[in-house]
Amino acid sequence: MHVNGKHYRTIWVNGNNKKVIRVIDQRWLPHRFIVEDLHSLDEMITAIREMHVRGAGLIGAAAGYGMYLATLEAPEDNLAGRFMEDAREKLKASRPTAVNLSWAVEIQLQAIKTGKTVQEKISIAYKTAGDIAEMDVDYCKRIGEHGVTIIKELSRQKGGETVNILTHCNAGWLGMVDWGTATAPVYAAIEKGINVHVWVDETRPRNQGASLTAWELKQQGVPHTVIADNAGGHLMQHGMVDMVIVGTDRTTSTGDVANKIGTYLKALAARDNNVPFYVALPSSSIDWQIQDGMKEIPIEEREPDEVRYIEGLCDGEIKRVLLTPEDSRAANYAFDVTPARLVTGLITERGICKPDRQGLLELFPERKL
Amino acid sequence: MHVNGKHYRTIWVNGNNKKVIRVIDQRWLPHRFIVEDLHSLDEMITAIREMHVRGAGLIGAAAGYGMYLATLEAPEDNLAGRFMEDAREKLKASRPTAVNLSWAVEIQLQAIKTGKTVQEKISIAYKTAGDIAEMDVDYCKRIGEHGVTIIKELSRQKGGETVNILTHCNAGWLGMVDWGTATAPVYAAIEKGINVHVWVDETRPRNQGASLTAWELKQQGVPHTVIADNAGGHLMQHGMVDMVIVGTDRTTSTGDVANKIGTYLKALAARDNNVPFYVALPSSSIDWQIQDGMKEIPIEEREPDEVRYIEGLCDGEIKRVLLTPEDSRAANYAFDVTPARLVTGLITERGICKPDRQGLLELFPERKL
């Protein structure tokens, strides 16, 4: 996508020096756009752990490139051995709950083992990291192509008037390598000249909507309005939302959707006001092993200070301010589960399906037992 | 209620000098506790307009005392005339949508007219202002007495285990003269030794929950936890909320409830999880003229910068930080309407009733046409 009119991905190889991986350091958005050079496995691990990069797809790609950087550092006599296995464990530990991260490092480890010489192993790791990133881009692009058909139909029903889309958190290109998941259909709509406008939930406590989604939509010239997380129900009651699209961290084989805390409340309001509620996801985020999202998906409880404090720009500097009484307790549940009964459809790289086992298996027949 | 162990109301007459009215300047909470002396009608108007004082009941009491301060300033020959009518208009204009404000100034104007001498008019105004404040305290205390019966029953059902109550915004004593509306049953429960714990929605964008409700609960020693507005649905899905109590800015004669933006989302989650959802209100906030809250209650749209910026404590100073991209648009709807079908009951000063015309008329038979 674009930043200040120039094409970017969230992670790429430095054109002049293949030993340097570049990423957008997202900690400074929306206030500063900073590109960071990563020269080693350790620097990549820090970037993942400290959330310079975040989001399912991007963490996977970063882990892939982390394994590639590790091959450059590995001692010759031990390349496929202990050093790379240590690299795998260190990467996995950097964000323990990120499914894509484990997935990417395992792919890399298997691929690297097939190389015979040191140089071959490095080449394979480089190519595999690129493939992981490309697959992410390809899946997101397809999600966009499938999802835009829904927006196109809503636009037709409204006689070409603006289609208002509400989204929660950041399921944008900043969380993937390009395009994003929930945003991919929006960017596809913009390319087709369809009038869209996005209501951006600020998404407390970490404000990924206000800081990341608003920023990336602005950079693509997508009309958007930031709202408090409290506002969506009112907007839906008054016909100001035509559809909701969100991303997901994990979806069960029965269509229950774990996503950023607050998603469930928007799904309830959508149902109460007959607003279609879609979830955009690459199939890698489907957990085929579980059936009941409410009972089987563990919900991460994060640091309470993320609720008690917030960061923002003040006199040109990024400051952290206290919002609550000094000694009031806070709780910080990071995700909630939206039951399948509240979901209109799942938008995947293979098409759109109903949020149930049958719908998913029609798109992914290889998953039938 | 208590502040640092000492009894306070939100507004009172200076004991040594009856010509000075004191208020808690709420702009500095929760970070600083500042009492402000108000010496004139103009100072009271500023305090109301700039939100040193806020909340339905407190604004009414402040307006009553504003009219009293005006009598001290009025020229002798014109006391009941133009000067007092000007005072009325200026007070009404200070927060144009506040119903209690108009109500209090009209009561004062009528009362003052019955005085024959200047001194008599001043005495009447003083007494009437006190009566308005006392009535507020009395109504809130009764709401507490009625509401606590629900908490007591929940406590009994749980065998004395902690009753978890979720509230949104500040419908506490800081918004009234004492006790509050939604908080009154909680304070009554604490007095009776019932184990309660309050989930405090931070209530973006103005964060009245995180700043005011958390502060006043802490001062009374009520166990509480501040949460992002997004979290309530998840808590209810997991049985961590036994009841919801909120306040209201306006309730229709059919039981639709206008309250702080986001209330509707919590009511939907309560219904979806069989959690009782109560609204606490003095009858002065019932609008007997209207039937359809969604269509007939106008929703104030406030300054978008309340969404884009937030205030908090940083290095001992209160700072305002920017949360969104510099030029992203924001929208700021202040209230939403929760339809009566989602409300379990209304807790009024006369008792608890179903949220419909019949229920309200049983408690307020004088309103029958």
Side-chain angles (χ1 to χ4, degrees):
Chain A
M1 306 305 297
H2 287 90
V3 180
N4 303 325
K6 197 179 144 193
H7 179 78
Y8 276 90
R9 286 184 171 179
T10 51
I11 189 163
W12 66 99
V13 180
N14 185 338
N16 303 319
N17 180 355
K18 283 191 173 178
K19 295 181 176 177
V20 177
I21 306 302
R22 314 194 88 175
V23 296
I24 300 171
D25 185 349
Q26 301 190 21
R27 291 173 303 165
W28 307 100
L29 293 176
H31 307 300
R32 287 181 206 147
F33 178 68
I34 293 176
V35 170
E36 185 181 18
D37 284 352
L38 302 170
H39 307 83
S40 66
L41 171 64
D42 278 354
E43 287 184 12
M44 184 63 81
I45 286 170
T46 302
I48 296 172
R49 193 183 50 228
E50 310 288 334
M51 296 177 74
H52 310 195
V53 294
R54 27 66 58 198
L58 174 52
I59 286 178
Y65 278 112
M67 289 295 277
Y68 158 65
L69 289 173
T71 62
L72 299 175
E73 298 166 33
E76 288 208 9
D77 58 348
N78 198 16
L79 186 57
R82 180 179 285 274
F83 187 89
M84 290 309 295
E85 277 169 21
D86 279 358
R88 169 182 66 177
E89 294 312 314
K90 284 202 270 180
L91 276 163
K92 279 191 180 179
S94 63
R95 285 292 299 280
T97 54
V99 176
N100 288 53
L101 198 152
S102 309
W103 170 81
V105 292
E106 295 301 346
I107 287 179
Q108 273 284 31
L109 202 64
Q110 295 314 313
I112 291 163
K113 279 183 183 164
T114 66
K116 286 184 188 74
T117 65
V118 172
Q119 202 48 54
E120 209 178 303
K121 285 170 191 282
I122 292 173
S123 294
I124 288 170
Y126 179 79
K127 183 177 177 306
T128 306
D131 288 349
I132 290 169
E134 283 306 328
M135 196 170 88
D136 183 82
V137 175
D138 179 55
Y139 279 18
C140 287
K141 196 160 190 320
R142 286 170 196 266
I143 287 169
E145 285 161 3
H146 294 301
V148 75
T149 60
I150 305 164
I151 302 176
K152 207 169 161 185
E153 174 56 19
L154 287 168
S155 172
R156 195 192 61 74
Q157 287 170 16
K158 293 186 82 175
E161 260 184 61
T162 300
V163 176
N164 290 296
I165 299 169
L166 185 140
T167 192
H168 191 69
C169 198
N170 178 256
W173 76 276
L174 289 172
M176 308 298 282
V177 178
D178 209 348
W179 298 101
T181 54
T183 54
V186 173
Y187 294 137
I190 292 283
E191 283 196 349
K192 287 186 191 298
I194 300 170
N195 290 322
V196 293
H197 163 261
V198 181
W199 295 108
V200 179
D201 275 1
E202 66 171 347
T203 320
R204 282 283 289 150
R206 288 183 64 93
N207 270 35
Q208 294 93 334
S211 56
L212 303 178
T213 306
W215 183 83
E216 65 166 269
L217 292 174
K218 191 173 78 72
Q219 291 292 340
Q220 314 326 306
V222 181
H224 67 281
T225 306
V226 180
I227 48 173
D229 300 305
N230 284 321
H234 171 75
L235 296 175
M236 293 188 216
Q237 283 179 316
H238 289 83
M240 293 156 85
V241 179
D242 298 304
M243 76 184 291
V244 180
I245 317 182
V246 297
T248 170
D249 293 82
R250 207 190 313 190
T251 294
T252 67
S253 60
T254 52
D256 292 344
V257 173
N259 190 42
K260 187 62 55 196
I261 189 85
T263 302
Y264 165 56
L265 295 171
K266 294 305 141 61
L268 285 168
R271 173 55 49 98
D272 202 44
N273 294 285
N274 295 313
V275 173
F277 183 94
Y278 285 94
V279 182
L281 65 152
S283 56
S284 56
S285 61
I286 301 170
D287 187 334
W288 296 94
Q289 308 308 314
I290 60 176
Q291 275 86 50
D292 185 330
M294 277 273 298
K295 290 192 185 142
E296 296 180 80
I297 300 178
I299 299 297
E300 179 185 0
E301 205 181 334
R302 295 177 57 88
E303 180 52 52
D305 274 359
E306 289 185 355
V307 173
R308 294 168 21 89
Y309 290 85
I310 197 166
E311 274 185 3
L313 193 71
C314 175
D315 301 331
E317 278 178 60
I318 293 172
K319 300 254 188 205
R320 183 167 176 263
V321 300
L322 175 66
L323 301 175
T324 63
E326 195 84 54
D327 43 4
S328 277
R329 221 169 73 93
N332 184 10
Y333 299 92
F335 304 99
D336 62 20
V337 173
T338 299
R341 66 183 153 86
L342 300 175
V343 178
T344 308
L346 304 174
I347 309 171
T348 78
E349 74 273 12
R350 294 207 193 156
I352 302 166
C353 71
K354 286 223 178 308
D356 56 30
R357 175 169 284 277
Q358 196 191 331
L360 280 166
L361 287 178
E362 275 167 25
L363 292 182
F364 301 93
E366 70 274 23
R367 294 289 178 170
K368 280 183 190 155
L369 291 182
Chain B
M1 306 307 295
H2 287 91
V3 180
N4 304 325
K6 198 178 144 192
H7 179 78
Y8 276 91
R9 286 184 170 178
T10 52
I11 188 165
W12 66 98
V13 180
N14 185 337
N16 304 320
N17 181 355
K18 283 192 172 178
K19 295 181 177 178
V20 176
I21 306 301
R22 313 193 88 175
V23 296
I24 299 171
D25 185 347
Q26 301 189 21
R27 292 173 302 166
W28 308 100
L29 293 176
H31 308 300
R32 287 182 203 148
F33 177 68
I34 293 175
V35 170
E36 185 181 17
D37 284 351
L38 302 171
H39 307 84
S40 65
L41 171 65
D42 279 353
E43 286 183 11
M44 184 63 82
I45 286 169
T46 301
I48 297 172
R49 193 182 51 228
E50 310 289 335
M51 296 177 74
H52 310 196
V53 294
R54 30 64 56 197
L58 174 52
I59 286 177
Y65 279 111
M67 289 294 278
Y68 158 64
L69 290 173
T71 62
L72 301 174
E73 299 165 34
E76 289 208 10
D77 58 348
N78 199 15
L79 186 57
R82 179 179 286 274
F83 187 88
M84 289 310 296
E85 278 169 20
D86 279 357
R88 169 181 67 178
E89 294 312 314
K90 282 200 274 181
L91 275 163
K92 279 191 181 180
S94 63
R95 285 293 297 280
T97 53
V99 177
N100 288 52
L101 197 153
S102 309
W103 169 82
V105 294
E106 295 300 344
I107 286 179
Q108 273 285 30
L109 202 65
Q110 295 313 312
I112 291 162
K113 278 182 184 163
T114 65
K116 287 185 186 75
T117 65
V118 172
Q119 202 48 51
E120 208 178 303
K121 285 171 191 283
I122 291 172
S123 296
I124 289 171
Y126 180 79
K127 183 176 179 307
T128 306
D131 289 349
I132 290 169
E134 284 306 328
M135 196 170 89
D136 183 82
V137 175
D138 179 55
Y139 279 18
C140 287
K141 196 160 189 321
R142 287 170 196 266
I143 287 169
E145 286 162 4
H146 295 299
V148 76
T149 60
I150 305 164
I151 301 175
K152 207 169 161 184
E153 173 57 19
L154 288 168
S155 173
R156 195 191 60 76
Q157 287 170 15
K158 293 186 82 174
E161 261 184 61
T162 301
V163 176
N164 290 296
I165 299 169
L166 185 141
T167 192
H168 190 70
C169 198
N170 177 255
W173 76 276
L174 289 172
M176 309 298 281
V177 177
D178 210 346
W179 298 100
T181 54
T183 54
V186 173
Y187 294 137
I190 291 283
E191 284 196 349
K192 286 186 193 297
I194 301 171
N195 290 322
V196 293
H197 163 261
V198 181
W199 295 107
V200 179
D201 275 1
E202 66 171 346
T203 320
R204 283 279 291 149
R206 287 183 65 93
N207 270 35
Q208 293 95 334
S211 57
L212 303 178
T213 305
W215 183 83
E216 65 166 90
L217 292 176
K218 192 173 77 71
Q219 291 292 339
Q220 313 327 305
V222 181
H224 67 281
T225 306
V226 180
I227 48 173
D229 300 306
N230 284 322
H234 171 74
L235 296 175
M236 292 188 217
Q237 283 179 316
H238 289 82
M240 294 158 84
V241 180
D242 298 302
M243 75 182 291
V244 180
I245 317 182
V246 298
T248 169
D249 292 83
R250 208 190 313 190
T251 294
T252 67
S253 60
T254 52
D256 292 343
V257 174
N259 190 41
K260 187 64 53 195
I261 191 84
T263 303
Y264 166 55
L265 294 171
K266 293 307 140 62
L268 285 168
R271 174 54 49 98
D272 202 44
N273 295 285
N274 295 313
V275 173
F277 183 95
Y278 284 94
V279 182
L281 65 153
S283 57
S284 56
S285 61
I286 301 169
D287 187 335
W288 296 94
Q289 308 308 312
I290 60 177
Q291 276 86 49
D292 185 332
M294 278 273 298
K295 290 191 184 141
E296 297 179 80
I297 300 177
I299 300 298
E300 181 185 358
E301 205 181 335
R302 295 177 57 87
E303 181 51 54
D305 274 358
E306 290 185 354
V307 173
R308 293 169 21 89
Y309 291 85
I310 196 165
E311 273 184 3
L313 194 70
C314 176
D315 301 331
E317 279 179 59
I318 292 173
K319 300 254 188 204
R320 182 169 177 262
V321 300
L322 175 66
L323 300 175
T324 64
E326 194 85 55
D327 42 5
S328 278
R329 222 169 73 93
N332 184 9
Y333 299 92
F335 305 98
D336 63 20
V337 174
T338 299
R341 66 183 154 87
L342 300 175
V343 178
T344 309
L346 304 174
I347 308 170
T348 78
E349 73 273 13
R350 292 206 194 157
I352 302 166
C353 71
K354 285 222 177 308
D356 56 29
R357 175 169 285 277
Q358 198 191 329
L360 280 166
L361 287 178
E362 275 166 24
L363 292 181
F364 301 93
E366 70 274 23
R367 294 289 178 171
K368 281 184 188 151
L369 291 182

